[in-house]
Amino acid sequence: MFASFAVGATSAIVYTNYARLPQWLRLSSSEQAAARNNDSKDANDDLAHPQAIVAKLKEMMSLVSKISDETSDKISDWQKMAAIYSLIHLHKELALVDPDYRDKCYEQKQNSLDLDELKELKNGLEYAHWAYETSYDVICSNCRAAGLDLLRHDAATEPGRVGHFIAMDHKHKLAIVGLKGTSSLADILTDSIAVPKQHIFQIDNRAVTGSNIYCHEGIFTAAIWMADSLQEFIENMLLPLKYKLLICGHSLGAGTSCLLGMELRSRIAAFRKNYTDLRVYAYATPPVVSLEASKACSPFITSVVNNSDVVPRASLGNFIVLNKLVRKVSEKLASKGHHLNTWSSLKFYYEEEVAKVDRDLLMTPKEIEMFYQETHLELEKQTNHLYIPGRCIVMWDKGINDDNQIDGFVTNCSMKMLRTVELCNTMISDHMVPVYFENLARLIGLLEQNKLI
């Protein structure tokens, strides 16, 4: 009954707002058939029609459902909810038992940060931020103020395409491509079509040459569209003039930037001669490539992750990890006599157990560490799981016990804390561009201060 009501309500909303729907949703069936039969095809043809989008979303949901069934072991929804409550509660108790527990999870064998690189990354974030702007005049004004010439601005609103701008820095002989993150229904659909698909990349002449690499289907479609539109411009203008290329993006724009950089490097041999003529700065990057490719592209792709930002952790692999952890916690609850199969039992458990914070841990730090080691090792054996591309600069807040100081380091996609979803109240806010700006500035300030000491 609820499903029928939801379908009816959705139909009424669509009908009354039809004129305001984007063009790609308003094509009639005859227009869609004509478009499909048109000889002139572009890279986003697979996402150009509502029927194709629905089919791909169904494929994605079927995959998620299959993973959930395989990893949750038929745990009831009440038990899952109780386990998630318990996980959040567990992290509070771990902080009580050991105030430095989270810091220890982040602190590992790591490479130190470079001050000049952080300043470059802060500038790159500015370009990624501009890409969200829908007004040509505003972006043009931003470019003039920064000494850049704006060549193109495209506020794309279709699945499989991303908004972007292209600007020229003649002083430094640099072309800048800024790619927009998620800000529309079309962008959400591009994000959501995340079934791993194979593609051949030639990242360099020694690593993964000709290998089949898995990548995020929706974001890869957007990257191919961008590569098709940029290739002639690069080959006929940038390379003869000896201009370098910098690609920047946040969120969806970050994932597209990474796959675009990999595709251009694969297509254009001149970019494979060094790691400086084509660079990618990506912020809040979603997992978009398989493990081998992620590590191979680290010399020219830098991904920045802020604190507990959920988007860089939003992969099917991490969904599997979370599901298995929920099952583990559910088993622990059952062993303690908590059989939670009704609303009243869940309510009682929440009021009696979750509402209080004490030192009675459901899982010890050692048990948690062993769980992640075993689960991550198992996932690495499967080649179709997706990771954050390139070198990863991770920034994290050290918490109230350290006066909320910022810290950071250079790592790669296999770092433990990037391969688990942090269930906390900042997992959404940490994704926002202003917070990335703030923490990059704090990190730069910290390094500058340390330099003076």
Side-chain angles (χ1 to χ4, degrees), residues 53-109:
I53 293 169
V54 169
K56 290 182 181 296
L57 288 174
K58 283 183 177 178
E59 182 185 6
M60 182 66 194
M61 292 309 297
S62 295
L63 180 58
V64 171
S65 179
K66 180 184 176 185
I67 289 172
S68 183
D69 289 343
E70 290 175 351
T71 56
S72 294
D73 200 24
K74 303 191 184 305
I75 298 172
S76 72
D77 290 340
W78 298 117
Q79 290 170 315
K80 288 179 184 177
M81 198 176 300
I84 290 171
Y85 277 146
S86 298
L87 276 172
I88 296 170
H89 181 63
L90 175 61
H91 283 92
K92 291 179 181 178
E93 292 188 323
L94 285 167
L96 175 67
V97 172
D98 182 0
D100 295 322
Y101 172 73
R102 186 169 180 265
D103 287 349
K104 290 174 182 175
C105 291
Y106 272 94
E107 290 168 350
Q108 56 167 26
K109 186 179 179 181

Side-chain angles (χ1 to χ4, degrees), residues 156-311:
T157 56
E158 299 175 19
R161 290 181 59 180
V162 292
H164 64 277
F165 73 89
I166 303 172
M168 302 291 283
D169 180 349
H170 298 296
K171 180 180 178 181
H172 300 101
K173 300 194 75 172
L174 178 69
I176 299 160
V177 177
L179 298 170
K180 180 178 76 68
T182 303
S183 63
S184 69
L185 171 61
D187 297 331
I188 292 171
L189 290 172
T190 303
D191 288 323
S192 301
I193 299 170
V195 176
K197 296 293 183 180
Q198 283 186 306
H199 182 68
I200 297 175
F201 286 110
Q202 188 173 351
I203 296 177
D204 64 35
N205 296 320
R206 294 164 298 167
V208 299
T209 301
S211 293
N212 281 312
I213 301 301
Y214 285 89
C215 51
H216 183 297
E217 183 180 14
I219 297 177
F220 176 67
T221 301
I224 290 296
W225 184 88
M226 280 299 304
D228 289 344
S229 68
L230 283 174
Q231 188 168 355
E232 285 190 14
F233 165 70
I234 292 168
E235 292 177 331
N236 298 328
M237 184 174 177
L238 293 192
L239 295 180
L241 292 175
K242 299 189 183 305
Y243 271 59
K244 296 180 179 181
L245 178 63
L246 175 63
I247 307 172
C248 304
H250 171 265
S251 192
L252 167 61
T256 309
S257 295
C258 294
L259 292 178
L260 172 59
M262 292 170 65
E263 180 66 15
L264 289 175
R265 189 173 175 85
S266 185
R267 292 187 186 191
I268 301 171
F271 283 147
R272 296 197 298 274
K273 292 179 179 178
N274 57 56
Y275 294 114
T276 57
D277 288 349
L278 166 62
R279 290 173 296 149
V280 176
Y281 290 162
Y283 309 85
T285 317
V288 292
V289 292
S290 46
L291 184 60
E292 183 184 7
S294 172
K295 292 180 178 180
C297 66
S298 60
F300 64 96
I301 292 179
T302 300
S303 291
V304 182
V305 177
N306 178 51
N307 211 34
S308 60
D309 184 353
V310 68
V311 169

Side-chain angles (χ1 to χ4, degrees), residues 246-413:
L246 175 63
I247 307 172
C248 304
H250 171 265
S251 192
L252 167 61
T256 309
S257 295
C258 294
L259 292 178
L260 172 59
M262 292 170 65
E263 180 66 15
L264 289 175
R265 189 173 175 85
S266 185
R267 292 187 186 191
I268 301 171
F271 283 147
R272 296 197 298 274
K273 292 179 179 178
N274 57 56
Y275 294 114
T276 57
D277 288 349
L278 166 62
R279 290 173 296 149
V280 176
Y281 290 162
Y283 309 85
T285 317
V288 292
V289 292
S290 46
L291 184 60
E292 183 184 7
S294 172
K295 292 180 178 180
C297 66
S298 60
F300 64 96
I301 292 179
T302 300
S303 291
V304 182
V305 177
N306 178 51
N307 211 34
S308 60
D309 184 353
V310 68
V311 169
R313 298 166 169 90
S315 68
L316 289 173
N318 283 352
F319 178 62
I320 290 173
V321 173
L322 181 59
N323 257 0
K324 288 188 174 183
L325 185 56
V326 164
R327 184 176 65 188
K328 182 85 171 176
V329 169
S330 185
E331 291 169 355
K332 288 279 188 179
L333 290 173
S335 70
K336 289 178 176 287
H338 298 296
H339 301 287
L340 308 166
N341 294 307
T342 64
W343 165 249
S344 58
S345 63
L346 179 64
K347 183 173 181 290
F348 178 81
Y349 170 70
Y350 182 81
E351 291 173 348
E352 294 297 316
E353 298 292 335
V354 180
K356 62 182 181 182
V357 178
D358 55 34
R359 296 173 180 269
D360 183 17
L361 299 178
L362 194 61
M363 291 178 69
T364 66
K366 187 174 181 179
E367 285 179 299
I368 296 170
E369 179 67 24
M370 288 298 296
F371 166 81
Y372 282 127
Q373 283 182 6
E374 292 171 6
T375 310
H376 290 159
L377 187 62
E378 186 179 336
L379 285 178
E380 286 178 9
K381 296 175 183 177
Q382 303 171 34
T383 59
N384 62 339
H385 288 299
L386 304 182
Y387 298 81
I388 303 168
R391 297 167 68 243
C392 296
I393 291 182
V394 177
M395 309 181 291
W396 91 94
D397 190 326
K398 298 187 76 170
I400 194 168
N401 296 306
D402 291 291
D403 299 321
N404 291 103
Q405 288 183 1
I406 194 74
D407 206 344
F409 55 86
V410 181
T411 183
N412 60 43
C413 65

